[in-house]
Amino acid sequence: MKKDFSKATRLILSLMAMVGIFFLLFWLEGQKSQYGMLISVMQKGVILSIAAVSMNLLTGFTGLFSLGQAGFMAIGAYVTGILTIPVDRVDSVYYVNGMSEGLKSFKETLAVLPSPVLVALALIAGGLVAAIFAGLVGIPVLRLKSDYLAIATLGFAEIIRAVIASPQLDKITNGSYGIKAIPGFDLGNGRGMLLIPFGVAFLCIGLIVLLIKSSYGRAFKAIREDDIAAEAMGIGLFKHKQLSFIISSFFTAISGGLLAMFMRSIESRAFQIILTYDILLIVVIGGIGSITGSVVGAFLVTFAKEWWLRFFDTPLTINGVQIPLLRQGFRMVVFSVLLMAIVLFYRKGLLGNTEFSWYGFLTWPSRFFKRKKPVSATPGEGGAGDE
Amino acid sequence: MTFTTFIQHCLTGISLGGAYALIAIGYTMVYGILLLINFAHADIFMMAGYFMIFAMSSLPWFISIPVVIIVTIALGLAVEGAAYRPLRMAPRMSIMISAIGMSYLLQNLAIYLFSALPRAYPTIEPLKQNFKIGEVSASLVTFLTPVLTIVLVVLLMQLIKRTKIGMAMRAVSRDYDTSKLMGIKINRVIRFTFIIGSALAAIGSILYFTDRMSVTPFSGLMPGLKCFVAAVLGGIGSIPGAVIGGFFIGISETFLIAFGYSTFSDAFTFLLLIVILVIRPTGLLGETITEKV
Amino acid sequence: MNKQEANRKIVLQTEDLTMQFGGVVAVDHLTASVYEGEIVALIGPNGAGKTTAFNVITGVYTPTNGRVRLFGDVIAENKPRGKMKELYKGEDADAYSNRIVLKPHQITKLRVARTFQNIRLFKALSVFENVLIAHHTNLKAGVLRAAFHLNGHEEKMMAERSMELLRIVGLDHLADEISNNLPYGMQRRLEIARALATEPKLLLLDEPAAGMNPQETLDLMDFIGEIKDQFKLTIFMIEHHMNLVMGISDRIYVIDFGKQIAVGTPAEIQNNEAVINAYLGVAE
Ligand SMILES: Nc1ncnc2c1ncn2[C@@H]1O[C@H](COP(=O)(O)OP(=O)(O)OP(=O)(O)O)[C@@H](O)[C@H]1O
Ligand SMILES: [Mg+2]
């Protein structure tokens, strides 16, 4: 039997941690003038963590290497953006071509809803549109083998972007002008800038974890391990791949919707392949097949990229000596080298395919000092295995 | 559309297609042997663009061209050695991520070294000479590209057919494991494949950028993906297939833009990819094989 | 034997089953039947086409010609089409007209389970999970119910049955072990447990004793007999260990180069000249 705390202990520890995090976020929100940078990086980190976990559901748990993330995020961002722009700002945003009448009157009817409800509906709508797209796209592409799937999904993301930016959709997506005046995270009292994205992320990631721990999640893993054996055990490949793809796209789009609210203004160029690569980087660093890894990776990468390593991009002179290498673009070079180093020398990433466990976490220091070969954290979600 | 403009577009399309064909060969050969989409190939092509800018700043064009080809080959070999060779035995997904990582690295390196702003591509005087045939006028490069493409492909086919290393390449792409057991030096074959692929990418890059006049770190991305699609269209692993695919995509793209659908020209390529993969996954000239269980 | 056959139900029947890869005819007009409650062996030299026959029966490959029936229903049927028409080497190219191809998972749902010659476990998963996953095919809960864990009773039943199966194959003490870490013989047993979890009536075993020592092979022989009785199975088995084949089979089919060269009881096969020649490699 694996060593672990009892179920009750784990539950209490988790609840305590959650309450702690809640108060920390609540407190930080109150200090926004002082911690502006920290708050904004945390927002972005938690938003990307949803996209990374969704990608991991496909890549790490179903074994489908899909590179369509940016496209589904674009769908979520645009649907959320369009539905949440205040009605009175519509004309100034769509100043070139105007918004289509039907859409505008639809928005006017929605305007009666309180804004948090509208935002929730908009995020879900974005997810649903993406899910429908994924369902349609999945029919041809999920039959493809690994790299063909990668390139086909990448292609679909590009098509989505082209369609969004096309002049034919000017009256809906505002074509190449993008969408501005998207309301940010606000519960109505100047609060929510952290609680909203963290709350949504908690729900989304929680649902994905529940799914992975269910019989369907096990079927996904079987496909990942050996699709021929999985099929021989009665698991319909297409149905399950499709399911995983649709669910992943749904949550990816929600992450895109949150990103739109975070950025306040979006244009199709923000959803290029590079965005997919960024998410892939997070998943690889965190560990393919580890949800905790993706979450930790999302924060780590965002903190490093947007904050800690900013100085890489600014030339620095100490005592009249110009420090070499530091200038615009160096940060991303460091990141790509890091990615390559992980792929080549440390393929498991931070957590491999293991998950966070309280036992592993709290006993880590003692194990570390005993210098024994560390007992790996509970090899994830044993399903009903952890009696 | 008048007949003259039609011919004009055809010429442009064929010329673009020739450049695509040369790049597509690099994808198809590497895929044939390693079963890997060499995502970095597009960025090697982009880097070749920058190499030309630097070479031409101090050397005449006829020396610059061989220099650029050699430096590009060196880059191709470096990518192979650093990102692919250590992972020969690794799971497919790791190799794919390594390929993407390499592409990401080269792009970011280009941004760092040359900035994200477009850089003017040097004019190679003889290539820019204008020709006029009847109403149709075009620069030499437009006529030269398809001819050069065909010549290079014929040479390459002969090489693969007649030389020992060519035979080894065919053997490895047919059955990797057996070839290895038969004593073929796989790493040599792979290096040779990268040499040819990179050399063709360098030539393709000269032809492509001469018509486009500027290079950015992202210049490789879309052409690269399109050329991969061209390779799939022709049947991955097949060199004549890649050439046909390259010309097809070059010509259709040119006409889509001519008809005012430029926003969809990239999307079209991918739509094409998906249609082929669904209807005929082996491409036009590929063979069907059943995976052994 | 004949009397028995007459009032026994046919579980599996292949008619002129042919599988051709390009010019290679891996299975050549195989006509065979397996009756309820029997243990039937399929033997033949290396490369004879045994595994390919299993792959066609389980839906991994689409046959190029012929038909497969399961409990009387057609699960696969085809005739040479397209390019195969030119390559086809048989004569009865138009004897079968329909094109019926069930997917492997659909055939599993019709109560056929199999093991693989080159063990295909879910390597990174635990022994317990390997068996648990195989229960998924009979899951009643939809994805939402399952995701919100509202099918607790069902999950509990699946977990209990999985442990039970592990006890039967003697791996219950290793339930939490990663399956790839098991020794070879145990992996083969685990594959059988996993196959049983799909609740089959017909079990196809592809070289279950491969890589086992004589003692393990003997144990396996008893074990196959036990599970056959306990789960009321019909067993169709590929095997090279002649002691095992002769010891437990009711009937044996022998194929060489895809073609059936003999069929009969173990005693009949042992003295069959064609079989001896095939195994000794005497030219026909
Ligand atoms: N997918 C495939 N493509 C091409 N040829 C194949 C394929 N699968 C099997 N074959 C060929 O079919 C023939 C029969 O192979 P099969 O694996 O069925 O033999 P077998 O009787 O199971 O042999 P063994 O006892 O060694 O397991 C062999 O010549 C093999 O090379
Ligand atoms: Mg076999």
Side-chain angles (χ1 to χ4, degrees):
Chain A
M1 267 295 86
K2 269 168 304 208
K3 278 195 207 163
D4 205 345
F5 298 132
S6 72
K7 208 164 186 170
T9 320
R10 278 180 288 160
L11 194 68
I12 291 170
L13 284 168
S14 303
L15 277 177
M16 272 161 44
M18 268 160 56
V19 172
I21 291 173
F22 177 84
F23 280 108
L24 183 72
L25 296 176
F26 192 79
W27 176 79
L28 266 176
E29 277 185 358
Q31 317 285 316
K32 61 182 162 220
S33 49
Q34 207 175 337
Y35 294 108
M37 187 65 179
L38 177 65
I39 289 176
S40 125
V41 174
M42 282 174 77
Q43 285 173 320
K44 189 153 187 208
V46 80
I47 291 169
L48 289 184
S49 74
I50 305 176
V53 170
S54 310
M55 183 176 201
N56 216 338
L57 171 66
L58 274 181
T59 309
F61 290 90
T62 322
L64 294 172
F65 195 51
S66 152
L67 295 176
Q69 279 62 30
F72 293 113
M73 286 179 86
I75 293 181
Y78 267 84
V79 171
T80 307
I82 292 167
L83 290 180
T84 54
I85 317 179
V87 177
D88 52 356
R89 298 292 300 277
V90 164
D91 289 329
S92 67
V93 173
Y94 286 72
Y95 68 100
V96 186
N97 299 297
M99 185 188 256
S100 90
E101 284 309 317
L103 185 58
K104 202 168 171 186
S105 56
F106 179 62
K107 276 180 66 69
E108 273 155 10
T109 7
L110 285 183
V112 299
L113 295 170
S115 87
V117 178
L118 180 63
V119 167
L121 283 180
L123 286 173
I124 292 172
L128 288 177
V129 174
I132 292 169
F133 257 89
L136 294 174
V137 169
I139 296 170
V141 303
L142 289 176
R143 284 192 272 169
L144 305 171
K145 292 262 176 262
S146 53
D147 7 19
Y148 284 118
L149 174 69
I151 203 111
T153 43
L154 200 138
F156 257 109
E158 223 23 57
I159 293 176
I160 289 170
R161 213 169 60 79
V163 169
I164 286 176
S166 70
Q168 285 81 352
L169 287 183
D170 269 346
K171 285 183 181 300
I172 295 170
T173 61
N174 207 17
S176 53
Y177 303 100
I179 291 184
K180 296 176 189 63
I182 303 168
F185 304 115
D186 190 357
L187 285 169
N189 47 1
R191 283 264 169 201
M193 54 196 342
L194 285 172
L195 291 178
I196 293 176
F198 274 80
V200 176
F202 180 77
L203 273 179
C204 293
I205 295 172
L207 283 173
I208 293 175
V209 169
L210 282 176
L211 176 74
I212 288 172
K213 287 193 168 186
S214 77
S215 186
Y216 285 86
R218 290 193 294 268
F220 294 164
K221 283 193 262 181
I223 294 174
R224 169 192 76 188
E225 290 297 312
D226 188 328
D227 52 350
I228 288 167
E231 212 179 6
M233 294 308 121
I235 296 168
L237 290 189
F238 180 71
K239 177 185 158 189
H240 287 86
K241 285 181 180 179
Q242 178 86 328
L243 200 60
S244 174
F245 191 52
I246 288 177
I247 293 170
S248 167
S249 306
F250 178 84
F251 289 114
T252 306
I254 289 194
S255 158
L258 291 174
L259 194 63
M261 296 175 67
F262 170 73
M263 300 199 301
R264 310 296 295 272
S265 70
I266 50 172
E267 50 183 330
S268 66
R269 255 184 307 158
F271 299 94
Q272 273 166 339
I273 296 168
I274 282 290
L275 178 60
T276 302
Y277 288 180
D278 286 342
I279 296 165
L280 178 65
L281 174 81
I282 292 173
V283 173
V284 172
I285 287 183
I288 296 175
S290 168
I291 299 288
T292 337
S294 290
V295 176
V296 174
F299 281 102
L300 212 60
V301 168
T302 314
F303 269 67
K305 217 161 102 176
E306 312 277 330
W307 192 7
W308 299 334
L309 301 185
R310 273 274 171 214
F311 72 91
F312 277 167
D313 271 8
T314 36
L316 183 65
T317 326
I318 298 175
N319 291 340
V321 184
Q322 168 100 30
I323 306 289
L325 296 177
L326 298 186
R327 79 181 131 91
Q328 191 68 36
F330 187 61
R331 191 171 46 117
M332 289 314 295
V333 173
V334 171
F335 261 96
S336 9
V337 172
L338 189 70
L339 173 67
M340 285 311 294
I342 289 179
V343 173
L344 291 173
F345 307 114
Y346 200 67
R347 216 179 295 151
K348 282 177 157 11
L350 286 176
L351 278 109
N353 59 0
T354 60
E355 297 294 350
F356 172 85
S357 82
W358 281 112
Y359 183 81
F361 181 64
L362 295 176
T363 56
W364 181 77
S366 63
R367 272 181 295 129
F368 186 78
F369 287 114
K370 272 185 205 152
R371 285 254 158 212
K372 267 201 218 156
K373 197 171 173 280
V375 187
S376 63
T378 8
E381 62 311 311
D386 46 7
E387 309 107 305
Chain B
M1 185 177 280
T2 67
F3 185 66
T4 323
T5 49
F6 176 75
I7 296 291
Q8 190 86 52
H9 287 312
C10 280
L11 269 179
T12 320
I14 291 173
S15 167
L16 179 63
Y20 282 172
L22 290 177
I23 307 166
I25 292 172
Y27 280 109
T28 219
M29 284 174 58
V30 169
Y31 197 96
I33 287 176
L34 284 180
L35 295 181
L36 159 80
I37 300 179
N38 180 9
F39 278 91
H41 192 59
D43 304 284
I44 290 173
F45 158 83
M46 170 271 292
M47 280 296 198
Y50 281 108
F51 295 155
M52 193 67 186
I53 295 177
F54 287 104
M56 289 280 284
S57 67
S58 51
L59 298 169
W61 66 270
F62 50 87
I63 300 180
S64 297
I65 292 178
V67 167
V68 166
I69 293 176
I70 290 167
V71 178
T72 311
I73 289 175
L75 179 64
L77 287 177
V79 168
E80 199 281 314
Y84 303 150
R85 192 159 343 137
L87 295 178
R88 286 279 195 273
M89 297 296 143
R92 276 290 277 279
M93 203 184 278
S94 302
I95 307 177
M96 229 157 26
I97 293 173
S98 182
I100 291 176
M102 207 62 219
S103 155
Y104 193 61
L105 173 62
L106 287 176
Q107 264 175 45
N108 287 323
L109 207 60
I111 296 177
Y112 174 63
L113 295 174
F114 317 123
S115 98
L117 301 174
R119 288 253 186 148
Y121 198 74
T123 345
I124 301 168
E125 280 309 329
L127 285 182
K128 271 292 177 192
Q129 268 168 39
N130 246 301
F131 277 83
K132 225 176 154 96
I133 301 176
E135 298 279 303
V136 185
S137 83
S139 57
L140 178 65
V141 68
T142 312
F143 294 106
L144 186 68
T145 307
V147 177
L148 192 62
T149 304
I150 302 291
V151 170
L152 287 172
V153 169
V154 171
L155 282 177
L156 179 60
M157 299 287 287
Q158 291 305 316
L159 181 94
I160 288 177
K161 228 179 184 161
R162 306 214 185 274
T163 63
K164 215 167 156 193
I165 184 88
M167 201 139 72
M169 284 169 80
R170 277 185 292 152
V172 177
S173 73
R174 181 138 292 244
D175 192 332
Y176 188 97
D177 295 319
T178 311
S179 318
K180 203 168 167 183
L181 290 175
M182 304 295 282
I184 291 178
K185 295 202 175 56
I186 301 270
N187 279 335
R188 242 189 75 185
V189 172
I190 292 172
R191 263 200 303 270
F192 190 68
T193 310
F194 273 84
I195 291 177
I196 294 179
S198 310
L200 294 180
I203 299 172
S205 131
I206 295 170
L207 300 171
Y208 179 87
F209 287 119
T210 294
D211 256 354
R212 268 158 203 74
M213 294 177 303
S214 72
V215 185
T216 78
F218 308 105
S219 293
L221 200 63
M222 268 301 140
L225 288 171
K226 283 176 188 168
C227 293
F228 179 75
V229 177
V232 175
L233 173 63
I236 201 96
S238 152
I239 292 173
V243 176
I244 296 174
F247 278 116
F248 181 82
I249 288 185
I251 294 170
S252 7
E253 183 184 331
T254 309
F255 275 96
L256 273 175
I257 294 173
F259 286 121
Y261 293 104
S262 52
T263 29
F264 290 106
S265 77
D266 297 345
F268 165 78
T269 319
F270 287 109
L271 211 59
L272 188 71
L273 171 74
I274 288 150
V275 172
I276 314 159
L277 288 178
V278 170
I279 298 178
R280 200 180 148 80
T282 52
L284 294 174
L285 304 182
E287 295 170 41
T288 351
I289 41 159
T290 320
E291 197 193 345
K292 239 179 188 172
V293 173
Chain C
M1 183 51 75
N2 276 338
K3 196 183 71 202
Q4 260 183 333
E5 276 175 28
N7 45 33
R8 268 182 173 177
K9 267 198 294 184
I10 296 186
V11 174
L12 178 76
Q13 190 173 25
T14 67
E15 301 163 39
D16 296 319
L17 192 66
T18 305
M19 184 69 218
Q20 208 172 321
F21 299 104
V24 180
V25 192
V27 179
D28 199 351
H29 293 82
L30 179 67
T31 299
S33 12
V34 178
Y35 294 85
E36 190 169 40
E38 266 190 320
I39 296 181
V40 177
L42 179 63
I43 65 171
N46 288 110
K50 306 175 297 290
T51 299
T52 307
F54 268 27
N55 282 336
V56 177
I57 293 167
T58 53
V60 177
Y61 298 147
T62 307
T64 37
N65 189 39
R67 191 184 291 159
V68 183
R69 287 177 187 276
L70 187 68
F71 304 111
D73 299 326
V74 180
I75 55 169
E77 177 172 334
N78 200 7
K79 66 172 179 183
R81 288 162 210 272
K83 219 169 154 188
M84 204 23 90
K85 240 178 178 156
E86 297 152 35
L87 288 169
Y88 185 65
K89 300 218 174 90
E91 278 148 22
D92 52 347
D94 281 312
Y96 302 90
S97 51
N98 296 319
R99 188 190 151 90
I100 297 171
V101 191
L102 261 60
K103 292 253 170 61
H105 73 271
Q106 293 169 315
I107 293 174
T108 307
K109 286 199 164 55
L110 298 173
R111 306 286 161 228
V112 182
R114 72 175 289 182
T115 64
F116 294 90
Q117 178 176 357
N118 48 342
I119 304 175
R120 282 179 170 270
L121 286 170
F122 305 126
K123 289 199 180 94
L125 305 182
S126 73
V127 168
F128 176 76
E129 278 183 298
N130 265 276
V131 181
L132 189 61
I133 285 170
H135 281 107
H136 182 74
T137 182
N138 298 318
L139 191 81
K140 298 215 172 52
V143 64
L144 284 180
R145 251 175 76 84
F148 287 104
H149 293 237
L150 299 174
N151 59 339
H153 179 68
E154 198 178 19
E155 281 280 337
K156 207 170 137 231
M157 293 300 292
M158 289 197 296
E160 274 169 16
R161 255 184 268 141
S162 302
M163 276 319 278
E164 178 62 32
L165 281 169
L166 285 179
R167 247 188 302 282
I168 291 169
V169 299
L171 292 173
D172 48 337
H173 59 296
L174 293 169
D176 287 329
E177 194 63 43
I178 297 298
S179 63
N180 200 37
N181 299 344
L182 294 186
Y184 213 65
M186 289 190 180
Q187 292 198 11
R188 292 227 173 262
R189 279 175 177 254
L190 178 55
E191 260 210 333
I192 295 177
R194 186 179 68 171
L196 290 174
T198 64
E199 299 172 14
K201 289 184 176 144
L202 172 65
L203 180 61
L204 306 178
L205 302 173
D206 196 344
E207 303 200 12
M212 287 188 179
N213 62 35
Q215 185 53 47
E216 284 176 319
T217 310
L218 276 180
D219 293 345
L220 182 74
M221 189 152 99
D222 296 338
F223 173 66
I224 292 176
E226 280 164 27
I227 57 168
K228 186 201 130 181
D229 293 338
Q230 185 173 353
F231 296 94
K232 298 192 172 49
L233 295 172
T234 304
I235 291 177
F236 195 22
M237 170 180 79
I238 298 174
E239 192 42 76
H240 284 296
H241 281 66
M242 281 309 141
N243 292 341
L244 176 64
V245 172
M246 299 301 166
I248 59 169
S249 310
D250 295 309
R251 287 186 308 127
I252 299 170
Y253 281 92
V254 191
I255 61 172
D256 191 14
F257 294 109
K259 282 199 187 69
Q260 179 182 319
I261 56 171
V263 53
T265 60
E268 289 162 359
I269 294 300
Q270 261 161 342
N271 300 313
N272 186 306
E273 202 165 320
V275 177
I276 295 166
N277 287 347
Y279 271 91
L280 295 179
V282 175
E284 281 166 66

